[in-house]
């Protein structure tokens, strides 16, 4: 599992945090299913964008990118990102050897050419004439394009046209959602060109040296994309590489799909390496007016702010439940508060506290029982929908089903009224509540890890259970604690 690696030219906004929340959801989900997962993220430290921003601030580029890389790590920590690896492209020991090895492996497809092109520094991308709107790229309106005129190495991307079309059409490299796949196929058919893969060092000294040519450094994307393989040992640890490559999932935003769906698999094909299995392309987090959140527009929301104000689980829940993973969404604090109060406080929080109150009043231990058929049915459906939502890359559907199950357990309490029962009848209901909460702890772990752990803890279970684990042990002593969430 990988995310895109953010540029280290500015502090991250909530849109960047969103991507890592989606990825973390998936990584935790796969681990819950009993899979071994290596989840990788990192920073993209080279390129003209970082170099220019450092110049503007008047500090050395290395100092500048290190400062922002720290911010990236802190943001990922603040969202409880469970990544196993953090790759930095500025790391000349761990990243560069693999990148240079890959360069050599694709050198049969590299040739030198003098050319002139329009370049968007914001995207680190060369633009086609038809992509230029009022002299700018669509994603960075108002940002002057650079005219680049120099001699560079070109990568024979156009030679891979047919192979890429077959790879993507057949879903051997599966691109989701369908709209992103179609857009890529259309670009492949109509607009594929060879691409400059290096820069003259005299103009851009900040980059990985091209092997065998002291005058050139690599184009930032030619150095950044290979993080996906250098992180798992390409160029440094062949056993690790054999074990983990190809990646199961690359998750990225829609502005960089072309690099991941075209450049990257072409580079791998050229080097004779396996291509990743799937590319998930998420939408943009926009501001209230529907404009993409970005530093250049000045409409960014700070992730620390939101997490400090509302709590991590609430922010995670809002992103995963409210914004369809494969579409854009406008960030709305009203919606976030509304979902917090109804779905987290009322539906989930109340279920835990009322259930544990009842068990506590009956001796504080989980009684014996057999799981109720209608609850089991709803749980099985929730799990099925959650699994399907991962396959279909529409996580919000699966999460809605998990909450349907939680609501069903609440209805079960209302219907059975355990406070009016005693003896075996009461025990049966209390067992069902404890077992349901155990399943809820497992189901919610990828979404709201803190609350999920708290549920397990209050149930008297040491660790959040795996999806396929056995039912709750009779006699487990519950440890009723604080409310999961409080009303905003
Ligand atoms: N450095 C490149 C990625 C290289 S991957 C080998 C890059 N960096 S970025 O900082 O601009 O973006 C990092 C990720 O955040 C991208 O997937 C991008 O789409 C995503 N997002 C940036 N702004 C975003 C929103 N407003 N909303 C959602 N995702 C956002 O691209």
């Amino acid at each position: 599992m990988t995310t895109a690696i953010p540029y280290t030219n500015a502090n991250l906004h909530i849109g960047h945090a969103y991507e890592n929340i989606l990825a973390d959801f998936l990584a935790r989900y796969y681990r819950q299913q009993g899979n071994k997962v290596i989840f990788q993220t990192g920073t993209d430290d080279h390129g003209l964008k970082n170099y220019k921003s450092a110049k503007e601030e008047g500090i050395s580029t290395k100092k500048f990118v290190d400062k922002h890389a720290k911010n990236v790590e802190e943001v990922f920590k603040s969202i409880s990102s469970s990544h196993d690896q953090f790759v930095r492209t500025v790391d000349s020991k761990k990243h560069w050897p693999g990148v240079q090895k890959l360069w050599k492996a694709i050198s049969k497809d590299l040739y030198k050419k003098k050319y002139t092109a329009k370049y968007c520094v914001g995207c680190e991308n060369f633009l086609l004439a038809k992509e230029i709107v009022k002299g700018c790229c669509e994603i960075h309106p108002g940002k002057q394009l650079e005219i680049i005129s120099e001699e560079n190495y070109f990568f024979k991307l156009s030679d891979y046209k047919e192979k890429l079309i077959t790879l993507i059409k057949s879903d051997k490299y599966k691109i989701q959602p369908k709209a992103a796949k179609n857009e890529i196929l259309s670009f492949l058919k109509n607009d594929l060109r060879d691409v400059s893969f290096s820069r003259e060092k005299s103009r851009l000294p900040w980059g990985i040296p091209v092997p065998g040519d002291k005058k050139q450094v690599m184009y930032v994307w030619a150095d950044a994309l290979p993080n996906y393989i250098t992180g798992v040992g390409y160029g440094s640890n062949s056993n690790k590489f054999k074990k983990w490559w190809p990646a199961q999932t690359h998750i990225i935003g829609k502005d960089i799909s072309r690099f991941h769906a075209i450049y990257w698999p072409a580079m791998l094909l050229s080097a004779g390496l396996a291509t990743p299995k799937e590319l998930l392309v998420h939408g943009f987090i926009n501001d209230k007016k529907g404009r993409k959140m970005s530093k250049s527009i000045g409409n960014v929301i700070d992730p620390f702010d939101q997490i400090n104000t509302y709590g991590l689980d609430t922010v995670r829940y809002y992103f995963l439940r409210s914004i369809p993973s494969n579409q854009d969404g406008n960030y709305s604090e009203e919606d976030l508060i509304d979902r917090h109060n109804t779905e987290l406080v009322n539906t989930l929080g109340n279920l835990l506290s009322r259930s544990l109150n009842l068990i506590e009043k009956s001796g504080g231990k989980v009684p014996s029982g057999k799981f109720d058929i209608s609850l089991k049915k709803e749980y099985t459906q929730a799990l099925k929908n959650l699994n399907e939502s991962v396959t279909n890359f529409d996580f919000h559907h699966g999460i809605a089903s998990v909450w349907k199950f939680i609501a069903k357990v609440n209805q079960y309490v209302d219907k059975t009224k355990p406070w009016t029962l005693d003896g075996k009848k009461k025990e049966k209901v209390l067992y069902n509540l404890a077992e349901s909460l155990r399943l809820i702890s497992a189901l919610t772990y990828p979404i709201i890890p803190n609350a999920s752990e708290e549920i397990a803890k209050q149930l008297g279970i040491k660790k959040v259970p795996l999806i396929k684990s056995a039912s709750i042990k009779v006699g487990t002593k519950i440890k009723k604690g604080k409310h999961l969430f409080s009303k905003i």
Side-chain angles (χ1 to χ4, degrees):
M1 288 263 347
T2 70
T3 67
I5 48 174
Y7 293 118
T8 37
N9 70 317
N11 286 348
L12 297 191
H13 57 67
I14 198 104
H16 297 109
Y18 170 63
E19 177 168 305
N20 276 60
I21 290 173
L22 289 175
D24 186 64
F25 165 82
L26 269 186
R28 286 174 191 264
Y29 164 84
Y30 282 125
R31 290 191 199 107
Q32 278 297 96
Q33 307 272 330
N35 294 293
K36 283 216 170 85
V37 177
I38 190 161
F39 167 21
Q40 178 170 310
T41 189
T43 56
D44 190 350
D45 299 301
H46 292 125
L48 192 55
K49 179 158 158 156
N50 292 341
Y51 180 69
K52 276 182 112 180
S53 306
K55 269 229 149 90
E56 276 161 27
E57 203 167 297
I59 59 173
S60 84
T61 319
K62 178 69 169 56
K63 247 195 182 153
F64 178 81
V65 294
D66 283 351
K67 180 177 81 174
H68 290 295
K70 218 167 165 208
N71 166 265
V72 173
E73 286 204 80
E74 279 163 7
V75 169
F76 292 169
K77 199 170 158 207
S78 78
I79 59 157
S80 275
S81 166
S82 61
H83 55 270
D84 307 282
Q85 314 228 117
F86 193 86
V87 175
R88 291 200 59 200
T89 60
V90 81
D91 189 331
S92 59
K93 287 210 179 76
K94 290 191 193 143
H95 180 64
W96 294 22
V99 176
Q100 287 174 325
K101 179 177 169 177
L102 184 67
W103 184 276
K104 287 180 198 154
I106 66 171
S107 60
K108 66 172 194 315
D109 288 323
L110 296 171
Y111 62 95
K112 249 182 166 178
K113 185 173 106 172
K114 199 163 172 24
Y115 73 110
T116 301
K118 288 189 175 157
Y119 189 78
C120 171
V121 181
C123 298
E124 297 280 11
N125 191 17
F126 298 93
L127 298 183
L128 301 172
K130 67 177 182 188
E131 291 171 327
I132 301 172
V133 185
K134 291 188 195 151
C136 300
C137 99
E138 266 188 288
I139 298 172
H140 299 97
K143 253 197 172 177
Q144 202 71 37
L145 297 177
E146 297 256 329
I147 309 281
I148 291 186
S149 186
E150 50 185 68
E151 187 176 43
N152 296 151
Y153 288 94
F154 268 66
F155 177 56
K156 284 187 196 161
L157 200 52
S158 46
D159 277 10
Y160 288 89
K161 179 171 173 169
E162 295 310 322
K163 276 191 181 155
L164 290 171
I165 290 177
T166 308
L167 185 76
I168 291 166
K169 253 195 175 161
S170 66
D171 283 344
K172 211 173 155 254
Y173 185 22
K174 187 176 179 190
I175 301 176
Q176 294 213 75
K178 273 244 156 60
K181 174 176 171 175
N182 291 338
E183 199 187 306
I184 289 297
L185 285 171
S186 146
F187 184 86
L188 277 170
K189 279 180 203 140
N190 306 316
D191 297 307
L192 194 65
R193 312 266 188 285
D194 291 353
V195 58
S196 166
F197 250 33
S198 70
R199 296 297 312 272
E200 279 177 8
K201 198 174 173 184
S202 57
R203 292 171 208 248
L204 178 63
W206 182 244
I208 301 184
V210 164
D213 191 335
K214 288 197 177 79
K215 290 189 174 152
Q216 299 267 325
V217 297
M218 291 182 199
Y219 168 47
V220 63
W221 279 100
D223 134 26
L225 289 163
N227 91 85
Y228 302 129
I229 54 174
T230 63
V232 287
Y234 184 76
S236 63
N237 182 342
S238 54
N239 282 340
K240 187 176 181 186
F241 185 60
K242 237 188 239 156
K243 178 168 178 193
W244 290 105
W245 191 256
Q248 169 66 36
T249 305
H250 288 324
I251 184 156
I252 55 154
K254 64 181 189 181
D255 52 336
I256 56 173
S257 59
R258 210 177 284 168
F259 302 101
H260 285 80
I262 299 177
Y263 292 26
W264 181 225
M267 289 162 79
L268 292 164
L269 289 171
S270 170
L273 298 172
T275 47
K277 293 182 188 156
E278 104 184 307
L279 180 68
L280 302 182
V281 183
H282 63 75
F284 284 152
I285 298 300
N286 296 326
D287 65 13
K288 271 190 184 164
K289 292 183 188 154
R291 299 171 309 175
K292 177 179 184 266
M293 217 174 267
S294 82
K295 202 186 152 217
S296 45
I297 302 180
N299 57 350
V300 294
I301 293 180
D302 177 38
F304 297 121
D305 248 23
Q306 297 295 296
I307 291 166
N308 289 339
T309 310
Y310 301 114
L312 172 61
D313 280 347
T314 299
V315 172
R316 286 180 67 116
Y317 181 74
Y318 166 70
F319 270 139
L320 292 165
R321 172 65 187 89
S322 197
I323 296 177
S325 20
N326 51 18
Q327 290 168 34
D328 290 354
N330 295 357
Y331 195 77
S332 157
E333 285 184 61
E334 291 81 5
D335 188 15
L336 177 147
I337 292 170
D338 195 43
R339 286 191 185 272
H340 169 94
N341 286 337
T342 53
E343 290 153 41
L344 296 179
V345 179
N346 291 349
T347 310
L348 178 59
N350 279 351
L351 177 67
L352 180 73
S353 53
R354 73 201 292 213
S355 303
L356 293 191
N357 265 334
L358 286 161
I359 297 175
E360 193 173 51
K361 280 189 191 143
S362 292
K365 284 186 182 166
V366 176
S368 63
K370 192 167 175 289
F371 200 38
D372 178 85
I373 289 175
S374 70
L375 289 175
K376 191 171 181 180
K377 210 172 137 204
E378 194 75 46
Y379 164 73
T380 309
Q381 189 61 45
L383 182 60
K384 183 169 172 269
N385 290 354
L386 187 68
N387 293 341
E388 279 175 9
S389 78
V390 168
T391 311
N392 300 334
F393 188 43
D394 55 5
F395 305 156
H396 61 296
H397 278 140
I399 294 166
S401 288
V402 170
W403 256 256
K404 215 172 143 216
F405 171 57
I406 302 172
K408 173 94 184 176
V409 185
N410 270 314
Q411 286 161 17
Y412 175 78
V413 182
D414 299 340
K415 212 174 82 193
T416 55
K417 299 189 175 51
W419 52 92
T420 65
L421 304 173
D422 52 22
K424 277 273 168 243
K425 278 188 181 161
K426 184 166 197 174
E427 281 186 6
K428 186 181 131 193
V429 175
L430 298 185
Y431 169 82
N432 279 321
L433 293 183
E435 176 60 2
S436 297
L437 283 167
R438 187 187 72 85
L439 296 169
I440 289 166
S441 165
L443 285 174
T444 55
Y445 182 66
I447 313 158
I448 44 172
N450 291 343
S452 151
E453 280 170 358
E454 186 63 26
I455 295 169
K457 197 172 133 201
Q458 295 201 22
L459 269 179
I461 303 173
K462 275 201 194 86
K463 262 175 82 181
V464 172
L466 293 181
I467 286 294
K468 284 186 187 127
S469 56
S471 75
I472 196 155
K473 275 204 190 98
V474 176
T476 304
K477 200 169 174 337
I478 61 146
K479 293 189 185 115
K480 198 173 157 284
K482 59 180 194 294
H483 280 283
L484 279 186
F485 299 98
S486 34
K487 206 147 201 140
I488 300 173

